Amino acid sequence: EGSNSPAFYSTFTLTGETTPRQLNPSSERSPLILSEIMYHPMESSTTNNLEFIEIFNTDPAPRDISGFRISGDVDYTFPSDTMIPFRSYVVVARDPAAVAAAYGLDNVYGPYSGTLPNDAGTVRLRNDFIHGNGALLLEVDYEDQLPWPISADGGGHSLQLSKPDYGEGSVRAWEASSLVGGSPGKFDPLPVGVLRDV
């Protein structure tokens, strides 16, 4: 289920001020965005199955994503009657029950097949294979080395799309979450400071 939390990120300048950045489309092909990716959760006995992908609907109206597919290194097709409320999120996980329990979520989709690689991986979103043509809408090829946020590689942080105007395929669009564990299905202010990856 979606969240109706305010959909704004705060971006720090070099002088320490914050500037609100609205969650906008990252592509002209879709009002949906790949808003958060947890590809390498912090290692522990309880978090090894906490991989997830978050999708956000930037539209001021609900979107039907029945039959839409996440592909790349993982694979998942959304079931019939899957709706994302306006300005809200859906979360897809490798282990939906584990993610729901860890983050207090009511509804997590999945499980997806495959796993998100810890070094470099690809996440794609394709449109409805039933009524559409399965066209590629969004694609990100992340890495675990700079200039990608290194704290997302096992440090407990997720990748978050903080600057969608760069496009989801650009490393400049992504930052590490300010919260350890990320914030699937919820708002997370970004970032915590200019030295976050030092």
Side-chain angles (χ1 to χ4, degrees):
E1 292 181 354
S3 167
N4 292 322
S5 301
F8 289 86
Y9 284 152
S10 294
T11 301
F12 275 74
T13 66
L14 290 177
T15 57
E17 294 125 353
T18 61
T19 303
R21 179 180 292 274
Q22 194 170 14
L23 277 166
N24 291 323
S26 61
S27 169
E28 295 180 354
R29 295 187 295 267
S30 176
L32 305 175
I33 59 173
L34 295 166
S35 50
E36 185 173 4
I37 300 171
M38 176 62 84
Y39 70 89
H40 190 179
M42 186 179 295
E43 298 294 335
S44 83
S45 60
T46 58
T47 61
N48 58 352
N49 287 326
L50 296 185
E51 286 184 10
F52 64 81
I53 298 167
E54 178 190 81
I55 298 171
F56 182 77
N57 174 18
T58 69
D59 254 3
R63 302 289 296 193
D64 186 347
I65 59 168
S66 303
F68 280 50
R69 179 183 173 194
I70 294 175
S71 65
D73 286 296
V74 299
D75 195 274
Y76 179 77
T77 300
F78 287 96
S80 300
D81 302 318
T82 302
M83 301 290 296
I84 306 183
F86 67 94
R87 304 292 294 169
S88 297
Y89 309 86
V90 296
V91 177
V92 184
R94 176 183 177 188
D95 185 336
V99 169
Y103 295 96
L105 300 177
D106 293 329
N107 189 21
V108 179
Y109 291 90
Y112 53 65
S113 60
T115 60
L116 295 170
N118 291 343
D119 50 357
T122 299
V123 178
R124 302 185 182 99
L125 180 66
R126 297 181 178 276
N127 73 6
D128 183 359
F129 274 77
I130 300 171
H131 302 102
N133 58 3
L136 180 64
L137 300 177
L138 305 169
E139 180 175 28
V140 56
D141 296 305
Y142 66 82
E143 297 180 15
D144 67 343
Q145 301 293 319
L146 291 173
W148 287 88
I150 57 176
S151 61
D153 183 24
H157 297 268
S158 63
L159 290 176
Q160 291 200 333
L161 188 74
S162 63
K163 302 178 181 70
D165 48 314
Y166 282 123
E168 79 283 345
S170 171
V171 64
R172 295 181 297 172
W174 296 89
E175 296 191 52
S177 63
S178 62
L179 300 175
V180 173
S183 58
K186 301 174 184 176
F187 166 69
D188 183 1
L190 285 177
V192 294
V194 295
L195 301 178
R196 62 188 297 119
D197 279 322
V198 174

